[in-house]
Amino acid sequence: MSGGRGPGYEQRLARERETFAGQVEVHGNLPESAHHWSARHMLPKLQALGVPGIGELITGEIGARAQRLDRDVVVLSLGSGNGDQELGWLRTLAESGLHNVRLRLLELNPDMQARAEASARKQGVADRVELITADFNTWRADAAHDVVVGFQALHHVLDLEHLYGQIRDGLDPDGVLVVHDMIGRNGHRRWPEALEVVDRIWATLPARLRRNALTGEVDDRFVDIDCAADGFEGIRAQDVLPVLLEYLHPSLFLPYANVIDPFVDRIYGPNLDLADPADVQLLEHLGDLDDTLVDLGIVSPTHLTALFHPVPRPLRVHGSRTPERSVRDTRVVDPAGRVSFRPGGNPGERLVRGAGLVTGRMNGVEHDDWAGPSAEFPLLTTAAVEAVELRTYLPDDSADHGSVTIAVDGEPVAKADVGPGLVEQVVPVRIAAHRQVRFSLDADWSITAGSGADRRTLSYILVGLRLLER
């Protein structure tokens, strides 16, 4: 294992490097529908708080410090990619006569760092730019920072507690963390109450608005993709805000969006034609509905633009969208009475699919999907179940493996063999529809991890469990 982060950690890192290695345009390529929605439903809220736009928020925080300090202002950009935005900040500040700014670009991908370095040299500011090629989850602050910028980066972080601790410890007492990021459900999936709204809207849309840009197919049902399945995209998105509030204090706080997301993203957003008045009207209705649902607290926001500091400061918020109301309390059922999930617990909603929902904390399954000798979780069946498709993984060189007993309410009902590599098998398990049960998996062997501080007693990786309908 890698520092206690799980056996799949290196594979996720490799996937992250591969995904972004060739991306020259990272933050662009959004459909016109996204820009239209943002201009009508996000920017006015930010402007009401005294900020013209996201770029002005960042350069304003840097510039204010550059004006009053008789030294270089040190700016750390998290997940800086190709450095395009950051070099743009330097240009904007230089045009205002502010040249005492030094950029530190923290980025995992060496290909992107190479592009950032080439751009800095071409623009003649290489002496103002420092490249730090490192992993968020292990990086340690080695300098004092006046401004830290997290621009669509925090939702890629697995060890948020480590990163936030480093940011806090490295920030100047008068420093600021500028956040523009995703704070919705892990993997950017919809929470149940939001998914119901999206599904209801989906059923009213013509086929042309349901075309999937990735597959080219028309999706009869909204496809709620788990973007964190094999990489770091949205890996702990739902923890970005609540954990951050434990480390730093907000002074400007604008949370927004939820139900609107699928209709203006890169998959379905291009379907809306802004030259068509009917499409524009639909987009306006969706934006108004989204704002209303967030303001009423029926859904929680999935985006955040904010400023955070090492010490408390006066707080500016939009309306009633306070930090407290923006954190989804997933320890209880959602306002409409359906099942919810605990953000600090284990990802049962990701691992368990098919004719059932995990209705509480999964005990015995770690955050990295390693299962202990005994794993148990509460399960609510949504249809009659006739079998369970169990997918497990063990490293090919693992000498310890054996069988897993499946039990329902403490009664053994089936047994599955688990061996090295990825094992997929279907075992007969019958459970009546709409029944709340205690579902458990008991292995007859264990592995004691021995890497660093990781001394967990484990058995196998639970890749997935699908409940098959009768």
Side-chain angles (χ1 to χ4, degrees):
M1 296 186 196
S2 176
R5 293 178 177 84
Y9 184 72
E10 292 300 328
Q11 290 92 324
R12 287 181 183 269
L13 279 179
R15 174 66 173 169
E16 192 84 348
R17 292 190 184 98
E18 176 187 349
T19 297
F20 291 98
Q23 286 198 18
V24 177
E25 181 62 67
V26 178
H27 299 297
N29 296 328
L30 287 172
E32 286 302 312
S33 58
H35 297 298
H36 180 92
W37 165 81
S38 177
R40 297 293 297 271
H41 295 274
M42 189 280 279
L43 277 178
K45 297 177 179 62
L46 190 60
Q47 291 163 355
L49 295 174
V51 180
I54 304 299
E56 291 86 349
L57 177 64
I58 298 170
T59 56
E61 291 298 319
I62 300 172
R65 288 163 176 78
Q67 286 180 326
R68 68 172 178 261
L69 296 177
D70 57 0
R71 59 171 175 80
D72 281 350
V73 174
V74 182
V75 181
L76 174 69
S77 179
L78 305 170
S80 51
N82 301 312
D84 300 330
Q85 291 191 120
E86 291 77 1
L87 295 176
W89 305 337
L90 280 186
R91 289 194 301 273
T92 298
L93 293 164
E95 291 168 359
S96 301
L98 299 173
H99 301 277
N100 57 324
V101 177
R102 180 161 59 89
L103 289 178
R104 306 188 81 213
L105 306 185
L106 175 59
E107 171 58 47
L108 171 69
N109 197 294
D111 295 290
M112 299 186 110
Q113 289 286 56
R115 288 193 285 270
E117 182 178 26
S119 295
R121 292 187 182 282
K122 183 177 180 180
Q123 297 178 37
V125 293
D127 61 329
R128 300 273 91 196
V129 178
E130 178 186 354
L131 304 177
I132 308 169
T133 305
D135 175 6
F136 292 140
N137 303 290
T138 57
W139 168 77
R140 294 192 174 278
D142 57 354
H145 302 113
D146 298 292
V147 179
V148 179
V149 181
F151 192 106
Q152 299 297 350
L154 300 177
H155 65 265
H156 290 261
V157 182
L158 178 61
D159 197 341
L160 290 166
E161 292 79 1
H162 167 82
L163 179 62
Y164 290 161
Q166 295 301 308
I167 292 172
R168 179 192 59 193
D169 295 345
L171 264 179
D172 182 87
D174 189 42
V176 62
L177 166 65
V178 185
V179 173
H180 180 62
D181 224 301
M182 306 287 289
I183 58 170
R185 191 179 181 186
N186 288 351
H188 304 321
R189 294 181 62 214
R190 302 297 99 195
W191 292 106
E193 63 274 17
L195 181 60
E196 180 179 6
V197 177
V198 172
D199 282 343
R200 286 174 178 265
I201 296 170
W202 205 259
T204 71
L205 298 180
R208 68 178 181 84
L209 297 182
R210 292 183 278 110
R211 188 169 298 280
N212 189 314
L214 296 180
T215 65
E217 301 293 326
V218 172
D219 291 332
D220 292 331
R221 293 182 61 88
F222 167 66
V223 181
D224 194 23
I225 297 173
D226 181 1
C227 298
D230 58 358
F232 288 108
E233 182 64 45
I235 186 73
R236 287 185 67 194
Q238 65 201 39
D239 295 333
V240 165
L241 176 58
V243 178
L244 181 53
L245 291 170
E246 296 175 5
Y247 284 78
L248 294 166
H249 307 273
S251 66
L252 179 142
F253 192 85
L254 176 61
Y256 52 96
N258 184 312
V259 169
I260 190 67
D261 286 347
F263 303 99
V264 296
D265 67 10
R266 292 179 177 90
I267 299 177
Y268 301 109
N271 294 324
L272 287 166
D273 181 4
L274 297 191
D276 185 336
D279 281 10
V280 174
Q281 185 180 48
L282 172 62
L283 187 53
E284 285 302 310
H285 286 326
L286 291 173
D288 290 340
L289 173 63
D290 185 61
D291 277 337
T292 300
L293 292 174
V294 171
D295 284 332
L296 290 174
I298 294 174
V299 300
S300 54
T302 57
H303 298 248
L304 175 67
T305 298
L307 302 177
F308 285 83
H309 308 268
V311 295
R313 293 194 176 194
L315 177 61
R316 289 177 289 164
V317 301
H318 176 77
S320 61
R321 299 187 186 187
T322 62
E324 294 76 18
R325 292 190 76 236
S326 301
V327 175
R328 188 182 189 281
D329 184 0
T330 55
R331 295 169 299 178
V332 298
V333 294
D334 69 74
R338 289 171 297 277
V339 176
S340 296
F341 308 99
R342 187 175 184 272
N346 301 294
E349 67 273 22
R350 176 164 60 82
L351 294 176
V352 178
R353 301 293 181 87
L357 296 169
V358 174
T359 59
R361 184 180 179 87
M362 291 182 70
N363 295 313
V365 181
E366 304 288 345
H367 70 278
D368 51 12
D369 300 347
W370 268 98
S374 180
E376 182 180 282
F377 47 94
L379 185 71
L380 174 65
T381 58
T382 56
V385 175
E386 69 170 1
V388 170
E389 181 186 72
L390 181 66
R391 289 180 294 148
T392 58
Y393 176 81
L394 272 172
D396 291 333
D397 58 355
S398 176
D400 298 289
H401 56 274
S403 62
V404 171
T405 299
I406 300 173
V408 177
D409 287 336
E411 185 70 27
V413 294
K415 184 169 286 190
D417 292 323
V418 174
L422 179 65
V423 176
E424 302 180 353
Q425 54 194 304
V426 175
V427 292
V429 174
R430 290 184 175 272
I431 310 175
H434 310 298
R435 182 181 167 195
Q436 181 81 46
V437 300
R438 185 163 44 90
F439 194 93
S440 61
L441 304 168
D442 295 291
D444 60 5
W445 84 99
S446 64
I447 304 168
T448 300
S451 173
D454 190 356
R455 301 294 177 186
R456 297 176 296 174
T457 300
L458 308 170
S459 293
Y460 55 94
I461 299 173
L462 180 60
V463 179
L465 187 148
R466 181 179 295 274
L467 304 171
L468 304 178
E469 295 183 25
R470 290 180 189 170

